[in-house]
Amino acid sequence: MASPVAAGIAGLLWAADDSLTPEEVVYAMESTAHSVNPAENNWSSQSGSAGAVDAGAAMDFVLSSSNPERRSIEDAKVELMGEEDRIYTGKEVRPEVKVSLDGVTLKDGDDYSVHYSQNVEAGTASIGITGKGQFKGTKAVSFTIYPKELEKSDVHLSSYLVEYTGARNYPDITVEFGDRKLEWGRDFTVSLASGSGQDPGWNTLEIEGRGNFTGKVKKSFRILPEGSKAVYPKDAGSCFQAGGSTYEVKSVPGEDNPVNNAVVYLAGTSAAKKATVPAWVSYGGHTYKVGGIKAGAFKGKKKLTKLTVKSAALTKASVKGSLSGSKVKYIYVKVGSKATNKKYKTTYKSYFAKANSGKKVRIK
């Protein structure tokens, strides 16, 4: 507890300059105190660890404009470090502060103290730099807290398959930030980027951040044909049969993969004399793009000599070894118009060359 004398002098100093901080008042009294030996006099009631308080000297220290030690912190240069870290986190954002005066870096805690305010939400935050010790006054600076960018992994649809109702029908949308669910309207908005949101087919939603969040994320969902129920596709690596042929799933369609580039042709029926590799194949209410023919797909099919290719998605790698061990003699390219077919005949001639496909054939 301060002595009555010290407390009285502190009151006088504040009366002379009400902008002084408690630290500045203490510094003024300690800097001007007289060294004493309590054993030789009766000044112990006026003395502390710094000595005997001199009210006049302390007042002169505070009021003296010629005192080079007490400078205004307002003249200091303030630098804020780590701008890339000033992003909304849901907690206080407190950038590191560097304060210097005339090229000399001041020391936090000794020369100044730092106070933050309005430093949680995205927008403008404030910092108060208050002088201590040899420095007085307060310098205010501001900085920007930037909104957090939404990411695909933050946004979830309850399902990417929605049954037809005749009216607009969206899946439920959840946007998460850590362990917190964001609020539609306050933290993000949703709009329809493509599709009607009502008719059967693929639709794309655009989720856009607002307030403390920014950026756009797109998610797709499919409205099924009227009367169809949601049936989810097989996992990658599994097989299914459609139109008498067998296919292997390579990738599963979903909210981030509405294109469905999903299957390769495995095999047709053993007794068939001809086979067709379609551009698309449907199964369980889903449409898959046929992007390849498995190696040895026609091996053992002794009667199969003609192959029609309607898929324009084949690659040299995806048909490698596909004709190995087969009896196929002719490949008919039927991917589109006459001009398109001519183009793909040239391309597929190299893809189905013996060195790649495993058997010499004629492209028609």
Side-chain angles (χ1 to χ4, degrees):
M1 173 181 275
S3 71
V5 174
I9 295 174
L12 291 174
L13 299 184
W14 266 311
D17 185 351
D18 59 10
S19 70
L20 293 173
T21 65
E23 292 85 357
E24 290 173 330
V25 170
V26 171
Y27 182 81
M29 290 192 290
E30 289 184 345
S31 298
T32 56
H34 297 290
S35 178
V36 297
N37 184 347
E40 297 178 356
N41 51 55
N42 193 31
W43 287 3
S44 58
S45 63
Q46 302 178 45
S47 107
S49 61
V53 177
D54 187 327
M59 185 67 74
D60 289 341
F61 182 91
V62 168
L63 299 178
S64 176
S65 59
S66 61
N67 178 11
E69 293 186 287
R70 289 200 77 245
R71 295 188 58 181
S72 174
I73 203 74
E74 295 178 16
D75 299 328
K77 176 183 178 182
V78 178
E79 297 178 74
L80 304 183
M81 318 306 286
E83 183 174 7
E84 67 278 3
D85 297 327
R86 298 176 217 162
I87 298 173
Y88 175 77
T89 63
K91 301 177 181 179
E92 283 192 81
V93 177
R94 301 166 65 93
E96 182 182 348
V97 174
K98 180 180 179 182
V99 181
S100 60
L101 189 60
D102 295 337
V104 177
T105 300
L106 305 188
K107 188 174 181 180
D108 185 9
D110 291 341
D111 301 319
Y112 63 89
S113 59
V114 183
H115 309 279
Y116 299 85
S117 61
Q118 298 178 316
N119 60 322
V120 176
E121 308 293 323
T124 302
S126 299
I127 299 178
I129 313 295
T130 301
K132 295 177 65 176
Q134 301 181 50
F135 302 93
K136 67 177 183 178
T138 300
K139 185 180 182 74
V141 295
S142 62
F143 67 96
T144 299
I145 298 176
Y146 299 100
K148 167 76 169 59
E149 188 88 16
L150 288 181
E151 300 176 8
K152 269 189 176 292
S153 58
D154 298 328
V155 182
H156 310 279
L157 302 185
S158 58
S159 171
Y160 68 87
L161 298 178
V162 176
E163 294 179 7
Y164 176 81
T165 64
R168 282 204 168 187
N169 190 18
Y170 296 173
D172 292 334
I173 302 163
T174 302
V175 183
E176 298 177 336
F177 176 58
D179 58 359
R180 175 179 135 211
K181 290 185 178 180
L182 303 189
E183 184 178 326
W184 190 337
R186 184 192 68 184
D187 300 314
F188 66 93
T189 59
V190 179
S191 61
L192 194 62
S194 67
S196 66
Q198 177 176 335
D199 301 322
W202 282 99
N203 300 263
T204 301
L205 296 173
E206 186 172 81
I207 296 88
E208 183 173 7
R210 65 180 303 181
N212 290 317
F213 301 89
T214 188
K216 298 178 181 179
V217 169
K218 290 184 177 181
K219 291 284 183 175
S220 296
F221 70 97
R222 184 186 177 202
I223 297 179
L224 299 173
E226 185 175 0
S228 297
K229 296 295 182 181
V231 178
Y232 290 87
K234 289 178 174 289
D235 294 332
S238 61
C239 301
F240 64 85
Q241 288 188 327
S245 298
T246 305
Y247 300 87
E248 180 184 359
V249 178
K250 287 299 182 183
S251 62
V252 179
E255 61 192 52
D256 295 322
N257 179 32
V259 177
N260 304 341
N261 193 355
V263 298
V264 296
Y265 183 96
L266 285 188
T269 57
S270 297
K273 294 181 179 180
K274 57 185 179 180
T276 298
V277 177
W280 302 86
V281 62
S282 295
Y283 175 81
H286 301 276
T287 302
Y288 299 86
K289 181 183 287 185
V290 180
I293 305 173
K294 193 173 182 67
F298 309 102
K299 187 175 182 179
K301 310 288 191 298
K302 296 180 180 180
K303 295 182 179 181
L304 199 155
T305 59
K306 297 178 181 180
L307 180 64
T308 299
V309 175
K310 294 185 176 181
S311 174
L314 305 182
T315 66
K316 189 172 183 178
S318 73
V319 300
K320 187 173 180 63
S322 59
L323 303 181
S324 179
S326 77
K327 297 295 183 179
V328 176
K329 295 180 180 180
Y330 306 101
I331 292 180
Y332 297 86
V333 179
K334 303 289 184 182
V335 299
S337 66
K338 185 179 289 188
T340 302
N341 289 338
K342 184 178 180 181
K343 173 187 174 183
Y344 275 89
K345 282 179 184 179
T346 301
T347 301
Y348 284 172
K349 188 174 183 179
S350 66
Y351 290 2
F352 288 101
K354 183 178 179 179
N356 190 64
S357 70
K359 189 179 185 301
K360 183 179 180 179
V361 293
R362 293 181 64 183
I363 305 295
K364 292 190 172 185

